[in-house]
Amino acid sequence: MTRAVWLRTLAELAALDYSGWFAFHNYNEPLADPRILSLVREARRALARAKLTIYTNGDYLTARLLDDLCDAGISEVKVTLYPTADCVADEPMLSRAVSFLDHLGLTVASHAEHYRRTELHAHTGHCLVRVAVPRVTRFSSRAGYLPLGLLAHPTRALRKEPCLLPCSSAAIDWKGNLKLCCQIYDVTLDQYKPYNMGNIESRSLPDLWFSDRFEQLRARLALARFGADLAACRWCDFRVAPGDR
C-alpha cells in the first residue's frame, strides 16, 4: 500500500481510539523490511493505547534491533523457531528457545505450554519477548491452502462448527486488500476472491470493517452457514486453542 494510505489508516484507527493488537505481518517477515522501525514509531505516535506486536522467525533479530524496537514502541515480540525439514514431526526442543534468549542477552522469566507450541517468556523494559518452538504437526492447513502432509489431522471433514475469527481479527495484505479471514493467503486467486472485503486504497478501513457485506458474512459464519462461495471455510480445520492470539 502507499505511504498515504498507511498514514490515513493509522489516523482512522486513532479516531476510534483503537487499543487492541496491531501486528506488522501478513505472511511475511516484518524485520526484513528496512522501514520497520519508522513504521513502528509512526504507529506508536498514532495509537498510544494499542498493543504493537512483531511476529518473526528470528532470522534478523539481534539484541540491538530488539532494543531499537522497544524504544520505537513495540509492546511484544513473538519469535517462532521453526524446525528443519527432517525434524518437523519431532516434539519441540525447549533448549532452542533458551539458546535464542541467550543470543538476545535475556533470561527466562516464565515458561508456557500450548497445544501448538511450547514457549519461553522474557522481558526487556516494557516489552514482552515470547520465543516459541512449534508443534508443526498441530498446525492448521490455512483453510485447505497448505497440504496436510504430516499434520496430526490427515483426514478432511466438512466443518460444522461456527467461526467467529472475522469478528475480532482484521487482516490486510501488502496490496491493501482487507481479507475476511487471516487464514486465507491470497484473495486475488479466483477461488479466494469472495474473501476480499475491499481495498483500503479506495475505501476506509472502518467503512469496510463495518460494511453490510462484512456483517452479513460474519453472521453466516457464526451460524456455520458457509455455502459454495465460502468453500475454504467448509474445509477449514483452524480452531482457536487455549493461548492463541
Side-chain angles (χ1 to χ4, degrees), residues 95-135:
S95 59
R96 296 185 65 211
V98 173
S99 296
F100 196 86
L101 286 176
D102 287 343
H103 157 71
L104 297 177
L106 301 177
T107 57
V108 177
S110 60
H111 170 216
E113 286 289 335
H114 300 288
Y115 175 73
R116 297 188 182 96
R117 64 191 180 276
T118 183
E119 62 183 46
L120 298 180
H121 302 162
H123 298 273
T124 175
H126 64 273
C127 182
L128 170 65
V129 179
R130 302 164 59 199
V131 180
V133 186
R135 294 180 171 89

Side-chain angles (χ1 to χ4, degrees), residues 25-158:
H25 72 283
N26 186 250
Y27 296 97
N28 69 301
E29 171 50 57
L31 298 186
D33 189 337
R35 307 168 301 162
I36 189 61
L37 290 173
S38 62
L39 294 175
V40 171
R41 292 188 192 100
E42 288 168 349
R44 177 51 70 206
R45 282 196 294 268
L47 308 172
R49 299 203 306 133
K51 295 176 277 290
L52 306 184
T53 183
I54 293 285
Y55 281 58
T56 173
N57 63 19
D59 286 355
Y60 293 85
L61 189 60
T62 62
R64 173 63 182 276
L65 180 54
L66 178 60
D67 287 343
D68 290 343
L69 287 167
C70 294
D71 289 344
I74 279 292
S75 308
E76 178 180 294
V77 175
K78 180 183 176 183
V79 181
T80 301
L81 302 176
Y82 295 99
T84 56
D86 58 329
C87 299
V88 165
D90 294 353
E91 269 295 292
M93 294 178 59
L94 201 58
S95 59
R96 296 185 65 211
V98 173
S99 296
F100 196 86
L101 286 176
D102 287 343
H103 157 71
L104 297 177
L106 301 177
T107 57
V108 177
S110 60
H111 170 216
E113 286 289 335
H114 300 288
Y115 175 73
R116 297 188 182 96
R117 64 191 180 276
T118 183
E119 62 183 46
L120 298 180
H121 302 162
H123 298 273
T124 175
H126 64 273
C127 182
L128 170 65
V129 179
R130 302 164 59 199
V131 180
V133 186
R135 294 180 171 89
V136 175
T137 57
R138 297 182 183 179
F139 279 9
S140 78
S141 64
R142 293 295 186 188
Y145 184 82
L146 299 178
L148 291 175
L150 290 173
L151 299 184
H153 35 74
T155 58
R156 287 167 63 88
L158 283 172

Side-chain angles (χ1 to χ4, degrees), residues 191-223:
Q191 66 267 38
Y192 297 126
K193 285 182 178 178
Y195 291 87
N196 190 345
M197 298 296 99
N199 194 288
I200 61 173
E201 295 267 357
S202 55
R203 292 178 66 183
S204 73
L205 175 57
D207 186 27
L208 292 172
W209 179 257
F210 295 110
S211 66
D212 289 344
R213 180 170 176 243
F214 214 147
E215 289 295 319
Q216 291 165 3
L217 290 173
R218 289 190 188 102
R220 283 178 53 190
L221 293 173
L223 296 172

